[in-house]
PDB file of all heavy atoms in Angstrom:
ATOM      1  N   LEU A  18     -61.050  65.887-133.836  1.00 97.00           N
ATOM      2  CA  LEU A  18     -60.452  66.174-135.079  1.00 97.00           C
ATOM      3  C   LEU A  18     -61.363  66.860-136.076  1.00 97.00           C
ATOM      4  O   LEU A  18     -61.011  67.746-136.739  1.00 97.00           O
ATOM      5  CB  LEU A  18     -59.872  64.920-135.706  1.00 97.00           C
ATOM      6  CG  LEU A  18     -58.676  64.195-135.103  1.00 97.00           C
ATOM      7  CD1 LEU A  18     -58.405  62.851-135.764  1.00 97.00           C
ATOM      8  CD2 LEU A  18     -57.476  65.069-135.158  1.00 97.00           C
ATOM      9  N   ALA A  39     -52.503  61.917-137.925  1.00 97.00           N
ATOM     10  CA  ALA A  39     -53.000  63.204-137.669  1.00 97.00           C
ATOM     11  C   ALA A  39     -52.969  63.562-136.136  1.00 97.00           C
ATOM     12  O   ALA A  39     -53.407  64.636-135.784  1.00 97.00           O
ATOM     13  CB  ALA A  39     -54.422  63.404-138.284  1.00 97.00           C
ATOM     14  N   VAL A  69     -51.603  70.840-138.798  1.00 97.00           N
ATOM     15  CA  VAL A  69     -52.151  69.811-137.942  1.00 97.00           C
ATOM     16  C   VAL A  69     -53.700  69.821-137.974  1.00 97.00           C
ATOM     17  O   VAL A  69     -54.309  68.656-138.108  1.00 97.00           O
ATOM     18  CB  VAL A  69     -51.643  70.039-136.467  1.00 97.00           C
ATOM     19  CG1 VAL A  69     -52.398  69.161-135.485  1.00 97.00           C
ATOM     20  CG2 VAL A  69     -50.151  69.742-136.292  1.00 97.00           C
ATOM     21  N   VAL A  70     -54.342  70.867-137.870  1.00 97.00           N
ATOM     22  CA  VAL A  70     -55.775  70.922-138.043  1.00 97.00           C
ATOM     23  C   VAL A  70     -56.276  70.399-139.389  1.00 97.00           C
ATOM     24  O   VAL A  70     -57.091  69.539-139.419  1.00 97.00           O
ATOM     25  CB  VAL A  70     -56.305  72.396-137.876  1.00 97.00           C
ATOM     26  CG1 VAL A  70     -57.813  72.442-138.263  1.00 97.00           C
ATOM     27  CG2 VAL A  70     -56.174  72.857-136.417  1.00 97.00           C
ATOM     28  N   GLN A  71     -55.583  70.679-140.427  1.00 98.00           N
ATOM     29  CA  GLN A  71     -55.983  70.269-141.820  1.00 98.00           C
ATOM     30  C   GLN A  71     -55.785  68.758-141.889  1.00 98.00           C
ATOM     31  O   GLN A  71     -56.575  68.016-142.463  1.00 98.00           O
ATOM     32  CB  GLN A  71     -55.119  70.959-142.858  1.00 98.00           C
ATOM     33  CG  GLN A  71     -55.617  70.786-144.223  1.00 98.00           C
ATOM     34  CD  GLN A  71     -57.161  71.203-144.415  1.00 98.00           C
ATOM     35  OE1 GLN A  71     -57.497  72.230-143.882  1.00 98.00           O
ATOM     36  NE2 GLN A  71     -57.938  70.401-145.160  1.00 98.00           N
ATOM     37  N   LYS A  72     -54.695  68.229-141.349  1.00 97.00           N
ATOM     38  CA  LYS A  72     -54.374  66.874-141.342  1.00 97.00           C
ATOM     39  C   LYS A  72     -55.529  66.080-140.652  1.00 97.00           C
ATOM     40  O   LYS A  72     -56.012  64.990-141.050  1.00 97.00           O
ATOM     41  CB  LYS A  72     -53.026  66.513-140.689  1.00 97.00           C
ATOM     42  CG  LYS A  72     -52.583  65.164-140.995  1.00 97.00           C
ATOM     43  CD  LYS A  72     -51.095  64.926-140.398  1.00 97.00           C
ATOM     44  CE  LYS A  72     -50.134  64.857-141.546  1.00 97.00           C
ATOM     45  NZ  LYS A  72     -48.869  64.488-140.983  1.00 97.00           N
ATOM     46  N   GLY A  73     -55.965  66.624-139.452  1.00 97.00           N
ATOM     47  CA  GLY A  73     -56.967  66.059-138.764  1.00 97.00           C
ATOM     48  C   GLY A  73     -58.374  65.988-139.517  1.00 97.00           C
ATOM     49  O   GLY A  73     -59.115  65.013-139.528  1.00 97.00           O
ATOM     50  N   LEU A  74     -58.668  67.061-140.150  1.00 98.00           N
ATOM     51  CA  LEU A  74     -59.882  67.130-140.981  1.00 98.00           C
ATOM     52  C   LEU A  74     -59.799  66.133-142.141  1.00 98.00           C
ATOM     53  O   LEU A  74     -60.893  65.579-142.479  1.00 98.00           O
ATOM     54  CB  LEU A  74     -60.109  68.565-141.484  1.00 98.00           C
ATOM     55  CG  LEU A  74     -60.369  69.554-140.443  1.00 98.00           C
ATOM     56  CD1 LEU A  74     -60.350  70.996-141.072  1.00 98.00           C
ATOM     57  CD2 LEU A  74     -61.633  69.365-139.725  1.00 98.00           C
ATOM     58  N   GLU A  75     -58.634  65.865-142.703  1.00 97.00           N
ATOM     59  CA  GLU A  75     -58.537  64.869-143.739  1.00 97.00           C
ATOM     60  C   GLU A  75     -58.653  63.464-143.153  1.00 97.00           C
ATOM     61  O   GLU A  75     -59.314  62.634-143.735  1.00 97.00           O
ATOM     62  CB  GLU A  75     -57.175  65.024-144.396  1.00 97.00           C
ATOM     63  CG  GLU A  75     -57.014  66.284-145.300  1.00 97.00           C
ATOM     64  CD  GLU A  75     -58.058  66.255-146.392  1.00 97.00           C
ATOM     65  OE1 GLU A  75     -58.252  65.310-147.020  1.00 97.00           O
ATOM     66  OE2 GLU A  75     -58.628  67.365-146.669  1.00 97.00           O
ATOM     67  N   GLN A  76     -58.115  63.232-141.965  1.00 97.00           N
ATOM     68  CA  GLN A  76     -58.235  61.916-141.317  1.00 97.00           C
ATOM     69  C   GLN A  76     -59.712  61.584-141.061  1.00 97.00           C
ATOM     70  O   GLN A  76     -60.077  60.375-141.293  1.00 97.00           O
ATOM     71  CB  GLN A  76     -57.460  61.924-140.063  1.00 97.00           C
ATOM     72  CG  GLN A  76     -57.463  60.562-139.271  1.00 97.00           C
ATOM     73  CD  GLN A  76     -56.842  59.459-139.971  1.00 97.00           C
ATOM     74  OE1 GLN A  76     -56.050  59.597-140.909  1.00 97.00           O
ATOM     75  NE2 GLN A  76     -57.067  58.247-139.550  1.00 97.00           N
ATOM     76  N   VAL A  77     -60.454  62.523-140.585  1.00 96.00           N
ATOM     77  CA  VAL A  77     -61.918  62.248-140.240  1.00 96.00           C
ATOM     78  C   VAL A  77     -62.758  61.776-141.470  1.00 96.00           C
ATOM     79  O   VAL A  77     -63.668  61.059-141.382  1.00 96.00           O
ATOM     80  CB  VAL A  77     -62.514  63.524-139.729  1.00 96.00           C
ATOM     81  CG1 VAL A  77     -64.043  63.439-139.670  1.00 96.00           C
ATOM     82  CG2 VAL A  77     -61.836  63.838-138.374  1.00 96.00           C
ATOM     83  N   LYS A  78     -62.253  62.242-142.664  1.00 95.00           N
ATOM     84  CA  LYS A  78     -63.018  61.831-143.872  1.00 95.00           C
ATOM     85  C   LYS A  78     -62.914  60.325-144.181  1.00 95.00           C
ATOM     86  O   LYS A  78     -63.686  59.816-145.015  1.00 95.00           O
ATOM     87  CB  LYS A  78     -62.418  62.587-145.175  1.00 95.00           C
ATOM     88  CG  LYS A  78     -62.689  64.051-145.152  1.00 95.00           C
ATOM     89  CD  LYS A  78     -62.076  64.745-146.308  1.00 95.00           C
ATOM     90  CE  LYS A  78     -62.330  66.217-146.258  1.00 95.00           C
ATOM     91  NZ  LYS A  78     -61.612  66.878-147.368  1.00 95.00           N
ATOM     92  N   LYS A  79     -62.055  59.613-143.528  1.00 94.00           N
ATOM     93  CA  LYS A  79     -61.893  58.163-143.760  1.00 94.00           C
ATOM     94  C   LYS A  79     -62.979  57.475-142.963  1.00 94.00           C
ATOM     95  O   LYS A  79     -63.138  56.207-143.211  1.00 94.00           O
ATOM     96  CB  LYS A  79     -60.576  57.668-143.297  1.00 94.00           C
ATOM     97  CG  LYS A  79     -59.401  58.255-144.001  1.00 94.00           C
ATOM     98  CD  LYS A  79     -58.142  57.772-143.387  1.00 94.00           C
ATOM     99  CE  LYS A  79     -56.860  58.414-144.048  1.00 94.00           C
ATOM    100  NZ  LYS A  79     -55.630  58.044-143.435  1.00 94.00           N
ATOM    101  N   PHE A  80     -63.746  58.120-142.164  1.00 93.00           N
ATOM    102  CA  PHE A  80     -64.797  57.414-141.377  1.00 93.00           C
ATOM    103  C   PHE A  80     -66.187  58.093-141.553  1.00 93.00           C
ATOM    104  O   PHE A  80     -66.214  59.304-141.791  1.00 93.00           O
ATOM    105  CB  PHE A  80     -64.480  57.640-139.888  1.00 93.00           C
ATOM    106  CG  PHE A  80     -63.195  56.965-139.477  1.00 93.00           C
ATOM    107  CD1 PHE A  80     -61.958  57.716-139.559  1.00 93.00           C
ATOM    108  CD2 PHE A  80     -63.008  55.675-139.165  1.00 93.00           C
ATOM    109  CE1 PHE A  80     -60.779  57.180-139.160  1.00 93.00           C
ATOM    110  CE2 PHE A  80     -61.865  55.128-138.798  1.00 93.00           C
ATOM    111  CZ  PHE A  80     -60.672  55.854-138.868  1.00 93.00           C
TER     112      PHE A  80
END
Side-chain angles (χ1 to χ4, degrees):
L18 292 174
V69 167
V70 167
Q71 193 58 40
K72 194 177 245 188
L74 294 172
E75 290 300 316
Q76 179 67 16
V77 169
K78 291 178 184 179
K79 297 177 182 176
F80 301 90

